[in-house]
C-alpha cells in the first residue's frame, strides 16, 4: 500500500465530517494515499509480491506481501498480464505494457481492462477463459496464444480522481493494489465457475469523466483559424516549427466541443464552472448501496450453484470493500454470518478494483484461506457491473 496513512480524524480538517460518521456508516478507519506513487508503482509492488519476488530496494510502496509464502515464479513463465484499473497513469500505451516491461515478463501479452470495481473478477474471468480456450483440444479450435500462467493485477490511485470538497465521496476512497497468479492445470479445478453481469446504470449512479484538455482547432464548419494572426505569428517566429500556444489560445479554441453532451449523457455536473476539478468520481451512494447487496447475493448464489457445491462449503467470501454495511446486508441475504466474509475495509477504504485481490491477499496471509479451500470472490461497481468467481485455492 502507499506510504501515507490518513485517519478519519485527519479528514475533519478538510470537509464537514467526523470519525464517528465515517466509521459507523462505512466501517472505514483509515486509508492509504498515493502522493508521489503512481498507479504503476502500486501495481508493480503488488505484482512482485504475487510472483514471490522481494520488494525492490527503493520501493516506497509497502505491500502486505503474501509473496514469501509462495514459491518464486519465473517471470518468463507468465504468458498473460491483465491490469485492471479505473485510474490509469496514461491512456496509451496500455499501462499493462509498461508493467510487463518493469517486471521482465518477456513472454507475456498484456492489456488493461476497466470493469469499474468489479475489475479483478472480470480480469480473472477473462484470463481463465483465455487459458481454457488455449488448452481446448480438437481440430475445430483455431490456433491461439497458449496461456498457462496469467498474472491479474488491479491497481488504483482513486484519490486523484476524488473531489476533496465532496464529503459524500472523499471519505470513502483509498489507493492500493493487489495481484494474483492463475495457473492452468489439467488435473486441478482452480476457477470452478464464474458469473458476470451488467445492469444498466439508468440513473448514472457512478461516473467519472475523461477530461480532454488539448485545444481542438475544428468546429462543425471546418478548421478554426485566423489568416492574419497566423501570418503575423509566422513572421514573428520565422524559425519555429510549431505555432505558439498564444496563437492557438487567441483563436478561442474549444478543448472538447462535445463536453456538454457528455456531461448531459452521464448527468455530470460541470465542476470547472464552479472552480473545481472536472475529472472526479460522482456517486449516488444510496443507489449503489441498494444495487450492491442484491447483486452480491445473486452472484454468489449463482457461482456456488453452478459449481455444484453449497454455500456452507465455502470457506470464505472475499468481497469488494465498499461499505461494511453492504457486507452485513449481503451476509444476511445469503443466510451466513459476517465471519464468512473477509473484511479488510477498515484500513484501506474503497480501492475500487484493487479491493478484491487486496482482501484475498489478507485472507491468504492470515491463514483464513488454505490450499484446497473453496473461496468466492465477489464484486460490484459502476456500469453497473457485478460478478463472482468460485475457486478452489
Ligand atoms: O465501489 C462501489 C461504489 N460505492 C459504493 O458501493 C458505496 C455505496 N454507498 C454507500 O456506501 C453509502 O450510501 C454512503 C457511505 C456513500 C453514504 O451512507 P448513507 O448512510 O447512505 O448516507 P446518506 O447518503 O443517506 O447521507 C446521510 C446523511 C446526509 O445528511 P442529511 O441529509 O441526513 O442531513 C449526508 O449529507 O449523512 C450526511 N453525510 C455525511 N456526514 C458526515 C454524507 N457524507 C457525510 C460525511 N460526514 N462524510
Amino acid at each position: 500500500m502507499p506510504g501515507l496513512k490518513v485517519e478519519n480524524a485527519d479528514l475533519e480538517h478538510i470537509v464537514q465530517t467526523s470519525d464517528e460518521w465515517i466509521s459507523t456508516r462505512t466501517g472505514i478507519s483509515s486509508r492509504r494515499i498515493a502522493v508521489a506513487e503512481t498507479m504503476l508503482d502500486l501495481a508493480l509492488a503488488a505484482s512482485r509480491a504475487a510472483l514471490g519476488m522481494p520488494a525492490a530496494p527503493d520501493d516506497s510502496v509497502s505491500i502486505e506481501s503474501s509473496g514469501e509464502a509462495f514459491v518464486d515464479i519465473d517471470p518468463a513463465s507468465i504468458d498473460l498480464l491483465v491490469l485492471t484499473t479505473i485510474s490509469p497513469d496514461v491512456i496509451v500505451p496500455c499501462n499493462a505494457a509498461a508493467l510487463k516491461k518493469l517486471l521482465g515478463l518477456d513472454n507475456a501479452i498484456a492489456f488493461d481492462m476497466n470493469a469499474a470495481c468489479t475489475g479483478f473478477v472480470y480480469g480473472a474471468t477473462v484470463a481463465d477463459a483465455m487459458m481454457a480456450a488455449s488448452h481446448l483440444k480438437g481440430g475445430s479450435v483455431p490456433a491461439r496464444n497458449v496461456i498457462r500462467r496469467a498474472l491479474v493485477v488491479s491497481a488504483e490511485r482513486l484519490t486523484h480522481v476524488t473531489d476533496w470538497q465532496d464529503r459524500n465521496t472523499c471519505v470513502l476512497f483509498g489507493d492500493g493494489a493487489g495481484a494474483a497468479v492463475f495457473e492452468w492445470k489439467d488435473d486441478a479445478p482452480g476457477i470452478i465457475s464464474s458469473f458476470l453481469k451488467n445492469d444498466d446504470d439508468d440513473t448514472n449512479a457512478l461516473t467519472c469523466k475523461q477530461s480532454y484538455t488539448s485545444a481542438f482547432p475544428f468546429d462543425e464548419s471546418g478548421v478554426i483559424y485566423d489568416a492574419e494572426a497566423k501570418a503575423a505569428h509566422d513572421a514573428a517566429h520565422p524559425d519555429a516549427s510549431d505555432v505558439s500556444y498564444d496563437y492557438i489560445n487567441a483563436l478561442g479554441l474549444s478543448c472538447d466541443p462535445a463536453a456538454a453532451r457528455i456531461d448531459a449523457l452521464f448527468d455530470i455536473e460541470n465542476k470547472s464552472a464552479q472552480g473545481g476539478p472536472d475529472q472526479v468520481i460522482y456517486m449516488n451512494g444510496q443507489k449503489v448501496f441498494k444495487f450492491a447487496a442484491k447483486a452480491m447475493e445473486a452472484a454468489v448464489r449463482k457461482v456456488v450453484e453452478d459449481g455444484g457445491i453449497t454455500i456452507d462449503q465455502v470457506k470464505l467470501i472475499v468481497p469488494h470493500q465498499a461499505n461494511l454495511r453492504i457486507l452485513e446486508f449481503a451476509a444476511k441475504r445469503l443466510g451466513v454470518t459476517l465471519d464468512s466474509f473477509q473484511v479488510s475495509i477498515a484500513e484501506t477504504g474503497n480501492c475500487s478494483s484493487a479491493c478484491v485481490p487486496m482482501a484475498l491477499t489478507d485472507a491468504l496471509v492470515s491463514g483464513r484461506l488454505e490450499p484446497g479451500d473453496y473461496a468466492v470472490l465477489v464484486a460490484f461497481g459502476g456500469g453497473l457491473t457485478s460478478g463472482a468467481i468460485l475457486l478452489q485455492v
Side-chain angles (χ1 to χ4, degrees):
M1 289 201 283
L4 180 67
K5 182 176 181 180
V6 172
E7 309 279 354
N8 291 344
D10 298 326
L11 298 181
E12 294 171 9
H13 301 296
I14 304 174
V15 286
Q16 292 293 339
T17 194
S18 64
D19 174 34
E20 204 263 333
W21 191 96
I22 303 170
S23 51
T24 54
R25 296 282 186 132
T26 70
I28 299 167
S29 302
S30 63
R31 72 285 297 138
R32 295 299 182 114
I33 299 210
V35 178
E37 300 98 337
T38 64
M39 183 281 297
L40 214 48
D41 288 331
L42 306 182
L44 181 63
S47 303
R48 291 181 68 89
L51 291 165
M53 296 176 179
D58 57 347
D59 205 343
S60 67
V61 183
S62 76
I63 283 278
E64 300 293 329
S65 174
S66 57
E68 277 158 22
F70 301 122
V71 287
D72 286 351
I73 295 173
D74 177 6
S77 72
I78 300 292
D79 304 306
L80 171 67
L81 167 62
V82 181
L83 172 60
T84 83
T85 185
I86 62 166
S87 44
D89 289 337
V90 290
I91 296 176
V92 172
C94 68
N95 297 261
L99 182 60
K100 167 193 145 83
K101 190 163 87 178
L102 292 169
L103 286 166
L105 308 183
D106 295 340
N107 300 311
I109 49 173
F111 56 86
D112 296 355
M113 269 183 68
N114 176 349
C117 304
T118 323
F120 186 80
V121 173
Y122 273 61
T125 299
V126 167
D128 179 55
M130 288 179 70
M131 284 196 275
S134 77
H135 287 84
L136 279 177
K137 305 274 190 300
S140 61
V141 180
R144 47 173 64 90
N145 296 63
V146 173
I147 296 164
R148 287 180 210 290
R149 276 184 176 161
L151 174 63
V152 182
V153 189
S154 299
E156 303 288 3
R157 202 170 173 245
L158 293 188
T159 60
H160 294 260
V161 284
T162 294
D163 181 354
W164 287 101
Q165 277 188 301
D166 178 9
R167 70 175 183 178
N168 292 290
T169 53
C170 75
V171 302
L172 305 174
F173 301 121
D175 300 326
V181 176
F182 293 86
E183 182 173 25
W184 182 266
K185 284 188 179 155
D186 290 327
D187 55 352
I191 291 180
I192 297 164
S193 54
S194 76
F195 172 68
L196 306 178
K197 186 159 187 262
N198 279 66
D199 289 85
D200 292 340
D201 185 5
D202 292 327
T203 56
N204 293 313
L206 194 46
T207 56
C208 177
K209 82 172 176 188
Q210 170 68 50
S211 286
Y212 292 103
T213 55
S214 172
F216 186 72
F218 304 94
D219 63 17
E220 272 124 350
S221 61
V223 176
I224 301 168
Y225 69 102
D226 178 331
E228 254 180 53
K230 176 77 163 58
H233 175 276
D234 289 351
H237 305 90
D239 298 326
S241 52
D242 293 329
V243 293
S244 70
Y245 284 116
D246 288 348
Y247 167 73
I248 289 287
N249 290 335
L251 295 173
L253 300 176
S254 162
C255 287
D256 185 358
R261 287 190 56 220
I262 295 170
D263 290 354
L265 185 63
F266 291 99
D267 292 327
I268 292 172
E269 198 183 316
N270 190 342
K271 295 253 175 183
S272 53
Q274 309 157 22
D278 257 352
Q279 197 175 0
V280 289
I281 296 172
Y282 288 85
M283 187 173 69
N284 181 332
Q286 290 185 353
K287 286 261 156 51
V288 183
F289 196 115
K290 279 182 195 144
F291 163 75
K294 274 193 218 160
M296 283 173 72
E297 180 200 4
V300 172
R301 285 199 189 283
K302 176 86 173 117
V303 292
V304 166
E305 191 185 320
D306 288 354
I309 64 164
T310 53
I311 191 94
D312 50 292
Q313 288 176 271
V314 175
K315 178 78 181 302
L316 199 62
I317 297 172
V318 182
H320 175 42
Q321 314 276 321
N323 189 322
L324 179 60
R325 288 187 296 136
I326 293 176
L327 303 185
E328 287 166 352
F329 274 112
K332 206 164 160 193
R333 294 179 77 100
L334 285 163
V336 298
T337 65
L338 194 60
D339 287 348
S340 307
F341 281 64
Q342 175 64 37
V343 179
S344 297
I345 191 171
E347 300 210 329
T348 64
N350 181 344
C351 301
S352 188
S353 70
C355 282
V356 168
M358 285 163 68
L360 180 61
T361 303
D362 288 347
L364 291 164
V365 170
S366 65
R368 289 192 80 191
L369 276 178
E370 290 175 337
D373 287 341
Y374 289 118
V376 173
L377 316 183
V378 61
F380 59 89
L384 296 161
T385 56
S386 60
I389 286 174
L390 170 65
L391 56 84
Q392 194 163 18
V393 180

